Amino acid sequence: DLKNAIYEKTSVAPCQQELDGWKKDKPRRNNMKLSSLNLPLENKLTLTPIVDIGDSSSDTIPLSDRLTQTYTLNIRDEVNNKTYNLKYPGTSTILDVKTGIYSLIDLPVRNQQWKGWPSSAKDDKMTLAQSGITFPEHDFSVSKMPSKEKPKVVDLVDSDSSAEENDDCEEYEDAPGSFLIEDDLFVDNTTPSKFQRLMPDNVENETVGTLHFAEQFEKRYGPAHPKFFTGTFDEAIKESCLKPAKERKLLAVYLHHDNSVLANVFCTQLLGSEAVLQLLAANFVVWGWDFTHESNMRKFFVSVTQSLGFMGSEAVRKIHIDTLPVLMILMRSRSTTEIFTIVNGNVGVNELLISLIHAVDVFQDQKFADIGAEEERQARERVKEEQDKAYQESLAADRAKEEAKLLQQQKEKEQREQAENERLAEEARKEAHRLSVESSLPAEPEESCEDVLKIRFRIPGGKWLERRFLPDTKLQILLNYLIVEGYPTEDYKVLCSWPRRD
């Protein structure tokens, strides 16, 4: 609404408006209410027109992925001052969108003037995925193209020619063009004499079809009517029957046929009854479809088969044309969506109310049972989640203990390896020192040498070592001899037995 007001003042289309200066978070969608933004009483916003709109990310997203996406088109109808939120797959063409708008506002494609298409969207045969519009939403505005002015006839005849000759020349030279222009104006300005159906023939997009249905229903039968859900049949089931048990509702499917003599009475007196409207509003989601065109009837059969299966499709196919219009009540029962009852169009208000109240009573009983089952299931799931959480915590604690144990074992192993390596290194050092000392040790004197001394060493364990030395041998040679024998001085003391001293 704000962007539309700005558009009226500045002629900048809503889809080309970039508003900056929000006090808090910038609105992410155009349909957000100002009351939800927590704005102060006074706000100053800056308007920046977007020169070339389009999805800048479309170049980075593969075309195959964009073709599978569903685009929401927010289309502002400047003729009737309405906004439509239509969903189209990426495979739909620009012409499909324009044709859908034609079915909604009765404005031919050739007379539609659009704002919001990117500059790259020049061909109506181009798909939405190729057009460069933004995903997931894009804003448009459509208005009626200004009528062409009738061209003035220029008199090219000499001034001295007769008036009759002038008329003949003008009629001969300008008649074809004039007829074409008049014919075009005639088509633009006349309203179609054909009776306007609730749905056009061969509806391809269910959402567009239901929007057209709701709009034409109100135009034909007045404002006293149920609030029709606009969307696909499958979306209507999800909105009513597939909600959580506490939010669940019944689904009332109104099937219309213009050739039925009962249609006018059913729509004005039954569906327009205040008691019926209150009952439907409180307990039902109402979805409407038009069976007047056989193509739309076949499309509905396909949707029913996809959503309700073969049994549901067979029940709908058994509805005879002569019994239309009908109100088909769908209910969620035992985890399946089923057709509860079908109310034919030849009933009165009281009979319709009795059928609806009976459906609501059965539905409420089933709803309470489903709520209880759902709460029990949720309780079981909570217990299971708590058990799973406790198990996971215990498992994590055991895993932590095991990891700590493995870490301790690894640490002890590394310490043992380090001690062993140090021991081996020490032994290697001692062996190297022993070999070095051995290489410098003088040879043992022969027994035949004069003044040879024989010295005995008592070693640990009670054993004795004995060697001959010369009298002038230094004490260090004795110590070196013991080192060579494996008794280094840093590990052993050498003591004199009498008197006892080092």
Side-chain angles (χ1 to χ4, degrees), residues 233 237 240-241 249-255 266 271 276 279-280 283-287 308 315-316 319 326-332 337-344 352-363:
F233 180 65
I237 292 178
S240 56
C241 301
K249 288 188 175 184
L250 291 159
L251 176 61
V253 178
Y254 172 65
L255 301 179
F266 194 91
L271 293 184
V276 173
L279 191 60
L280 290 175
N283 302 281
F284 292 82
V285 171
V286 184
W287 188 83
L308 302 181
V316 175
I319 299 175
V326 301
L327 196 63
M328 186 169 63
I329 308 301
L330 278 70
M331 181 187 302
R332 186 73 173 174
T337 303
E338 301 174 347
I339 299 175
F340 176 72
T341 186
I342 297 177
V343 182
N344 295 326
L352 177 59
L353 281 172
I354 290 172
S355 298
L356 294 178
I357 292 172
H358 175 62
V360 170
D361 290 340
V362 175
F363 169 72

Side-chain angles (χ1 to χ4, degrees), residues 73-90:
L73 308 185
N74 305 317
I75 302 175
R76 177 68 178 175
D77 175 14
E78 303 295 347
V79 178
N80 301 306
N81 197 26
K82 291 185 177 181
T83 300
Y84 299 97
N85 305 108
L86 308 181
K87 294 183 179 180
Y88 281 91

Side-chain angles (χ1 to χ4, degrees), residues 20 50 109 112 411 449 474:
D20 297 315
I50 302 175
V109 174
Q112 296 175 9
K411 185 177 180 180
C449 293
K474 294 182 179 181

Side-chain angles (χ1 to χ4, degrees), residues 195-209:
F195 184 72
Q196 186 72 31
R197 303 293 186 188
L198 296 186
M199 273 189 186
D201 190 10
N202 197 23
V203 171
E204 294 184 1
N205 187 296
E206 285 189 36
T207 303
V208 174

Side-chain angles (χ1 to χ4, degrees), residues 138 158 322-323 356 369:
H138 194 87
D158 294 337
D322 295 337
T323 63
L356 294 178

Side-chain angles (χ1 to χ4, degrees), residues 291-348:
F291 270 20
T292 305
H293 295 292
E294 187 176 351
S295 60
N296 295 337
M297 184 189 302
R298 290 195 300 268
K299 184 170 183 62
F300 180 71
F301 290 158
V302 173
S303 298
V304 170
T305 303
Q306 293 175 348
S307 300
L308 302 181
F310 177 76
M311 297 298 293
S313 176
E314 282 299 304
V316 175
R317 291 176 188 274
K318 290 180 181 179
I319 299 175
H320 199 273
I321 297 296
D322 295 337
T323 63
L324 293 173
V326 301
L327 196 63
M328 186 169 63
I329 308 301
L330 278 70
M331 181 187 302
R332 186 73 173 174
S333 176
R334 301 182 185 89
S335 301
T336 58
T337 303
E338 301 174 347
I339 299 175
F340 176 72
T341 186
I342 297 177
V343 182
N344 295 326
N346 58 352
V347 299

Side-chain angles (χ1 to χ4, degrees), residues 375-391:
E375 290 177 348
E376 291 179 0
R377 183 174 63 255
Q378 291 175 352
R380 291 194 301 268
E381 290 177 353
R382 285 195 297 270
V383 171
K384 185 177 181 301
E385 289 176 358
E386 292 174 358
Q387 292 176 345
D388 291 343
K389 183 180 179 180
Y391 172 74

